[in-house]
Amino acid sequence: MTITECFEDDPQLRENLNNLWINLAKMDTFVSLRNPTPEQIEEGARECENWCKVFPSYFPTTNLTPKMVSLSLVFPTIIREGGSLVKKN
């Protein structure tokens, strides 16, 4: 059983949560890259930015947390300037 199966009685909520989970999984995949290509860097930054675009539309009565704001507004800048969130040796 997946966590979103708990929301079988609310298919829209389940779809929204699945979409947010997919977004987080894409960001996690990017963070694990040691030497991302320029295309991967841009994709990673865009996935981070998407959080602040998607979350409020799915949950309009819920506030963004400081971590969500950092994820969507600070991380993309760091990614684009440094190429990664992983320290390179």
Side-chain angles (χ1 to χ4, degrees), residues 4 11 16 19 28 36 46 49 57 59 63 68 74 83 89:
T4 60
N16 292 349
N19 288 338
D28 182 61
R46 277 197 310 269
E49 291 169 337
S57 67
F59 304 101
N63 293 329
M68 291 178 187
V74 177
N89 293 331

Side-chain angles (χ1 to χ4, degrees), residues 4 14-15 32 36 42 54 60 89:
T4 60
R14 184 177 181 185
E15 181 181 348
S32 68
E42 188 55 34
V54 174
N89 293 331

Side-chain angles (χ1 to χ4, degrees), residues 30 33-41 79 82-85 88:
F30 171 76
L33 299 174
R34 284 225 173 258
N35 296 305
T37 65
E39 293 82 17
Q40 290 171 321
I41 290 169
I79 291 169
S84 180
L85 292 174
K88 297 176 184 175

Side-chain angles (χ1 to χ4, degrees), residues 23-87:
N23 180 257
L24 283 173
K26 288 179 180 179
M27 289 183 279
D28 182 61
T29 299
F30 171 76
V31 170
S32 68
L33 299 174
R34 284 225 173 258
N35 296 305
T37 65
E39 293 82 17
Q40 290 171 321
I41 290 169
E42 188 55 34
E43 178 65 22
R46 277 197 310 269
E47 287 300 331
C48 289
E49 291 169 337
N50 273 344
W51 185 269
C52 270
K53 295 175 185 174
V54 174
F55 186 88
S57 67
Y58 288 165
F59 304 101
T61 60
T62 305
N63 293 329
L64 291 169
T65 66
K67 287 182 181 181
M68 291 178 187
V69 172
S70 292
L71 175 71
S72 285
L73 302 176
V74 177
F75 282 14
T77 302
I78 294 170
I79 291 169
R80 286 185 177 115
E81 289 176 2
S84 180
L85 292 174
V86 177
K87 182 179 179 182

